[in-house]
Amino acid sequence: MNTFEKETIDRISKNKNNENLLNATRAFLSESLLSKYSYNFKALGRPIIQYPQDIVAMQEIIWKVKPDLIIETGIAHGGSLIMNASMLALLDMCEAIESGTVLDPKKSKRKVLGVDIDIRQHNREAIESHPMSSRIHMIQGSSIAPEMIVQVKSISKNYQRVLVCLDSNHTHDHVLAELEAYAPLTSVDSYCVVFDTIIEDMPKAMFTDRSWGPGNNPKTAVWKYLKKHPEFEIDKNIDNKLLISAVLSGYLKRVS
Ligand SMILES: C[S@@+](CC[C@H](N)C(=O)[O-])C[C@H]1O[C@@H](n2cnc3c(N)ncnc32)[C@H](O)[C@@H]1O
């Protein structure tokens, strides 16, 4: 490990004890949720409903894990599908450069598999006409419906390195059912990323029009799941680095 890397690790570990920084982060998170800050970004032209810090964290994870399949529940406008597909394209490009071969994008095995209960026609058309579309496969239905789980499991059998992202219905029961169904597909040393754990830390009044809220959300599902699944650990290093994130305690690393 070089000096810069050692200094980075040191800086990150100090964040968790930096009360001024943590208070500023908490204030930003609650204000930015009220202003729907995370709805304002795009990935290669498609809206992506995420904090930029979490997009960077995904970039770092994808570079480290080098997955050949990314399973995503919750497509919405397709920004996260396109973002992740573009990262897979870059992995292919880097491998082609390193091995001195010619890259044929149509032959890439790497894929993003998206599941959504309601893929709106205009979103489908925009995703299917995007230059990244050859790496994207979408299926419509509830992510916890048995027939959908069967399809996803069957597709994932053809892949070796699998990364899972859960970002659909944010109730405790739904996310727990998704974790039971899809977390086991995560390869060792890869991640199951559970989005919107932030709901647990926000005031109840913020979610009066939603079926989720504090006490009933992705973070409570993660806590329950982890009690019986020591093969996953929360990657606290990512949390301490990002600080501003909707996914704190949701970056689950498969360790065995
Ligand atoms: C927060 S958005 C996804 C955002 C997207 N991942 C992104 O980063 O831009 C949630 C999506 O979950 C979908 N959804 C809701 N309930 C679902 C379910 N039971 N199964 C699958 N998808 C569901 C909604 O249709 C919506 O498109």
Side-chain angles (χ1 to χ4, degrees):
M1 194 185 298
N2 64 34
T3 310
F4 183 80
E5 283 170 10
K6 279 190 200 134
E7 286 170 357
T8 308
I9 290 171
D10 187 44
R11 275 194 303 272
I12 291 171
S13 75
K14 282 182 181 148
N15 282 348
K16 61 178 182 295
N17 300 318
N18 183 338
E19 273 311 313
N20 287 344
L21 185 57
L22 292 175
N23 286 336
T25 300
R26 283 184 209 112
F28 176 80
L29 280 175
S30 51
E31 281 303 316
S32 61
L33 272 181
L34 287 172
S35 70
K36 295 186 102 177
Y37 169 88
S38 65
Y39 284 69
N40 301 335
F41 299 91
K42 287 185 178 168
L44 289 84
R46 291 304 299 157
I48 179 167
I49 309 169
Q50 284 179 22
Y51 279 75
Q53 283 79 355
D54 291 314
I55 299 173
V56 173
M58 286 303 299
Q59 179 269 137
E60 291 195 11
I61 286 175
I62 293 170
W63 181 256
K64 194 162 71 168
V65 172
K66 304 204 170 12
D68 52 6
L69 179 67
I70 301 178
I71 298 168
E72 287 195 54
T73 66
I75 295 174
H77 303 266
S80 57
L81 289 189
I82 302 276
M83 185 70 218
N84 291 338
S86 76
M87 279 303 302
L88 297 185
L90 284 175
L91 290 181
D92 285 344
M93 194 181 109
C94 291
E95 281 176 10
I97 290 168
E98 279 165 2
S99 64
T101 50
V102 177
L103 180 65
D104 180 353
K106 297 268 184 258
K107 286 196 184 141
S108 169
K109 192 174 173 263
R110 290 196 160 100
K111 286 274 177 319
V112 180
L113 171 61
V115 182
D116 200 295
I117 197 167
D118 179 16
I119 309 173
R120 306 262 164 94
Q121 193 52 31
H122 60 281
N123 288 330
R124 180 184 283 283
E125 281 166 15
I127 296 164
E128 287 177 348
S129 60
H130 194 280
M132 284 298 128
S133 66
S134 65
R135 288 186 166 80
I136 295 172
H137 181 56
M138 293 181 283
I139 50 178
Q140 180 163 290
S142 174
S143 54
I144 59 168
E147 66 276 14
M148 300 299 284
I149 296 171
V150 166
Q151 272 192 73
V152 173
K153 284 187 175 167
S154 150
I155 292 169
S156 73
K157 281 202 180 92
N158 302 315
Y159 295 87
Q160 276 78 48
R161 259 180 270 174
V162 181
L163 172 63
V164 175
C165 301
L166 306 178
D167 189 17
S168 67
N169 178 318
H170 299 313
T171 62
H172 174 95
D173 288 348
H174 186 88
V175 179
L176 190 57
E178 282 188 330
L179 279 164
E180 299 288 359
Y182 301 120
L185 304 180
T186 311
S187 317
V188 175
D189 293 329
S190 180
Y191 286 76
C192 176
V193 183
V194 183
F195 284 82
D196 275 343
T197 47
I198 191 172
I199 296 165
E200 174 64 10
D201 306 307
M202 295 295 131
K204 232 184 183 93
M206 223 180 244
F207 305 99
T208 46
D209 58 341
R210 301 287 196 171
S211 44
W212 49 81
N216 171 15
N217 58 69
K219 196 184 271 185
T220 59
V222 164
W223 287 336
K224 178 118 196 236
Y225 185 77
L226 290 185
K227 277 191 186 144
K228 288 195 179 155
H229 292 276
E231 69 274 24
F232 284 96
E233 285 176 1
I234 294 170
D235 191 332
K236 285 281 170 197
N237 187 55
I238 299 180
D239 290 3
N240 292 335
K241 172 163 54 179
L242 298 183
L243 302 178
I244 292 172
S245 163
V247 191
L248 300 178
S249 300
Y251 289 99
L252 308 183
K253 182 170 186 187
R254 180 147 195 191
V255 291
S256 63

